[in-house]
Amino acid sequence: MFQLEDIHPLTDFQRNAKSHLNRVNKTGRPEVLTVNGRAEAVLIGRKAYEKMQDAMEELAAIKSIQTSLTQMAAGKTIPAKDVHQRLREL
């Protein structure tokens, strides 16, 4: 998933943040930032972040639909006329 050239020490990022940001935005690939040789953070560009957020929202919608379909199949629904009646009573 990560390429060797995409792994950098955090201190290098701190010294050259602008070039790291330019690189992730240009390549679209994330960078792994390390501390003492261990991965501590992942840097992604704005477009990649927005794409990830969109995908997460889509997954949440799919999960909600799946839950609703499961509840419908199990008969855990309320007829619309009953819902309308309850709303009128509020």
Side-chain angles (χ1 to χ4, degrees):
M1 181 173 177
F2 292 104
Q3 298 177 13
L4 191 55
E5 64 264 17
D6 294 332
I7 301 173
H8 302 277
L10 181 61
T11 53
D12 183 54
F13 172 76
Q14 291 170 322
R15 289 184 198 120
N16 304 297
K18 190 172 182 178
S19 66
H20 284 269
L21 291 172
N22 287 337
R23 186 171 30 256
V24 297
N25 284 315
K26 183 179 178 182
T27 66
R29 294 192 325 256
E31 284 190 2
V32 176
L33 302 177
T34 63
V35 175
N36 296 324
R38 293 179 177 224
E40 288 293 326
V42 177
L43 176 67
I44 61 173
R46 179 187 52 82
K47 288 181 183 178
Y49 178 78
E50 289 172 353
K51 187 176 179 181
M52 183 178 64
Q53 286 296 108
D54 290 344
M56 289 174 58
E57 289 174 11
E58 187 175 332
L59 286 172
I62 290 169
K63 183 176 180 180
S64 177
I65 292 167
Q66 287 175 331
T67 299
S68 298
L69 291 172
T70 300
Q71 290 174 340
M72 282 178 49
K76 297 180 180 180
T77 59
I78 301 171
K81 66 178 183 162
D82 293 349
V83 173
H84 287 272
Q85 182 61 36
R86 289 180 188 179
L87 290 172
R88 282 190 214 102
E89 294 171 359
L90 291 178

